Amino acid sequence: MERVDFLVVGAGIAGLSAAIRLAEVGRVLVVTKEELAESNTAYAQGGIAVAMGGDEDVALHLEDTMAAGDGLVNREAAAVLVSQGPRRVEELLEWGTAFDRYPAGEGGELMRTMEGAHSRSRILHANGDATGREIAVSLLRHVREGGVRAGSIELMEWTTSVDLIVEGGRVVGATLLDGEGGLRVVQARAVLLASGGAGQVYSDTTNPAVATGDGIAMAYRAGAAVSDMEFYQFHPTAFAAAGAPRFLMSEALRGEGALLVNAAGERFMERYHPLLELAPRDVVARAITREGMDGPVYLDMRHVKKDLKARFPGISRFLVGYRLELGRDLIPVRPAAHYLMGGVKTDVQGRTSLPGLYAAGEVACTGVHGANRLASNSLLEGLVFGALAAETMLTEAPLVKDELIAAPVAAGPAGVTSEAATEKWIRELRELMWKYAGLLRDADGLRQAKRGLDALRAAMPKGLFRRAVEARNLLVVAELIVASALGREESRGAHYRNDFPLHDAVGKHSVMQRGRLEFAA
């Protein structure tokens, strides 16, 4: 058992942005499941959307965000995102984040590129297509090289969060499983969930293996409200060669002129949206799915007269392994699970429905993305709302009691399931979700998913080890997605029901808490 002032679960952009501020007044423990570099932040290729051109640019960014969210964006949250974004990005620049710039002869200014559903070029990127990794590295460097009070932040790798500890209706800490299988109980004045998304709930995903929805599942088990879990964004263009991982083919490729063509070599987006390849992600993903029923769909950059290896070095290196090259070959693509718009319900200050518990980044749901996230708003979300959550925690968190808490440990049923059986169980869940609760849904399929999840719950892996903990969390997330998707009898943004293809007149948010589903404007 140990005591800290603040516990931060997750070491991506939201968690580190918060920890830097929390460290000004107390001891902060930041825990992450693998090494510090392994987070959804580090996998973000395209860039960070930010309106650096003054009030008019900020207003346009707000309207683009609202439009992409398909009638469900929380305007207050979106206004906070776009208005505070420039100041937070300026901080990153001060801390040494090396965004790409034009050559000195061309002014040396920051490069700004275009992506889908944006009305102007406002995407900053780093090292071509490694923006997230550059931001993560610069934040870690700021923590380690004297950017915060010495000794105020402890970074703990290879540590799995098991459950939150609730005492008297307040979250007062968490139980953790270290890399050697030892259980730790951490008491804190406040806990911030910044644990990222849940892409591993689907068999086809661009997310890393760590994205198993741990923060959402822990919060829900503790009694917190979650919101909009039916809105899972499927990125339109993941690499689709047989046997290959669903490597992300960044939205920025289309921003630089890539076209989408079907098996017959025909450009097809004109049949689906006036913005063509730069339409909102949900529209493009469904178009590719429909065109893909008759054969493969490709990204075509053979007409683009740019140095694509220099602009997209990471993607180019990946493609070399499959003897493909941007600008020379057609690149096979198809949608894959990418980003969860829903999550632990919070206000714009990061407060959840449980005192002492805060959330920021992909794990949280402020409503800022509505039913469909605007491209490259995710890194900005973590940066802005991570900082806001920290400021709120500093104001509201009480002093820790002198005595250490006695924490119950939710180890699950007695016994230990083998590693192989656990992996088989997880694989079955992911395939079930992809088949019945993926990009195109209907009541029959969602009910089949629910029956399958009920059967999996009865065979839950046993034991207190990382993959068993992740299995338990994936099941909670899957059940929340399916229940919310069944309840929303309309199509909106990333949630498409074949049996309810039209919008409701008024957009409402789903809220799940203690097994009860409600919809509220």
Side-chain angles (χ1 to χ4, degrees), residues 201-203 234 428-439 449 453 477-479 481-482:
V201 77
Y202 290 103
S203 57
F234 294 82
E428 289 178 3
L429 179 144
R430 300 178 69 208
E431 291 172 352
L432 179 80
M433 288 296 290
W434 181 258
K435 183 175 182 179
Y436 295 116
L439 188 60
L453 293 175
V477 170
E479 290 173 335
I481 291 172
V482 169

Side-chain angles (χ1 to χ4, degrees), residues 316-331:
S316 296
R317 283 193 298 272
F318 172 81
L319 291 174
V320 165
Y322 297 89
R323 299 181 180 179
L324 294 172
E325 184 178 318
L326 295 173
R328 186 192 70 189
D329 301 303
L330 293 173
I331 310 301

Side-chain angles (χ1 to χ4, degrees), residues 16 48 55 89 92 94 129-130 168 198 205 216 235 283 337 469 513:
L16 291 178
I48 184 168
D55 291 345
V89 170
L92 287 181
E94 292 169 7
D129 54 5
T205 182
I216 295 168
H235 198 287
V283 175
V469 171
Q513 189 171 19

Side-chain angles (χ1 to χ4, degrees), residues 293-438:
M293 293 177 182
D294 297 320
V297 172
Y298 301 97
L299 276 175
D300 184 2
M301 299 192 80
R302 294 174 298 179
H303 59 288
V304 177
K305 306 303 180 185
K306 294 181 179 179
D307 185 350
L308 297 175
K309 288 182 180 179
R311 174 65 180 88
F312 300 105
I315 293 172
S316 296
R317 283 193 298 272
F318 172 81
L319 291 174
V320 165
Y322 297 89
R323 299 181 180 179
L324 294 172
E325 184 178 318
L326 295 173
R328 186 192 70 189
D329 301 303
L330 293 173
I331 310 301
V333 293
R334 77 181 209 194
H338 184 62
Y339 189 91
L340 178 61
M341 273 76 72
V344 183
K345 182 175 172 59
T346 74
D347 62 13
V348 295
Q349 302 296 325
R351 301 181 188 94
T352 73
S353 61
L354 286 178
L357 181 66
Y358 302 78
E362 191 175 353
V363 69
C365 181
T366 61
V368 72
H369 304 306
N372 181 51
R373 176 174 66 81
L374 181 65
S376 289
N377 267 0
S378 56
L379 288 174
L380 193 68
E381 175 194 20
L383 194 64
V384 168
F385 291 107
L388 283 171
E391 291 171 2
T392 310
M393 291 165 72
L394 290 172
T395 301
E396 297 179 347
L399 293 176
V400 177
K401 298 176 183 178
D402 288 337
E403 69 274 12
L404 286 168
I405 53 180
V409 178
V416 178
T417 303
S418 72
E419 208 170 290
T422 301
E423 292 300 333
K424 181 176 181 293
W425 187 98
I426 291 173
R427 185 167 61 253
E428 289 178 3
L429 179 144
R430 300 178 69 208
E431 291 172 352
L432 179 80
M433 288 296 290
W434 181 258
K435 183 175 182 179
Y436 295 116

Side-chain angles (χ1 to χ4, degrees), residues 6-7 32 55 80 91 118 138 155 162 224 249 268 297 314-315 327 337 358-359 378 392 408-409 416 422 435 468 495:
F6 305 103
L7 173 62
T32 185
D55 291 345
V80 168
E91 283 181 337
H118 286 272
S138 68
L155 302 168
V162 179
M249 295 287 113
F268 56 82
V297 172
I315 293 172
Y358 302 78
S378 56
T392 310
V409 178
V416 178
T422 301
K435 183 175 182 179
H495 171 73

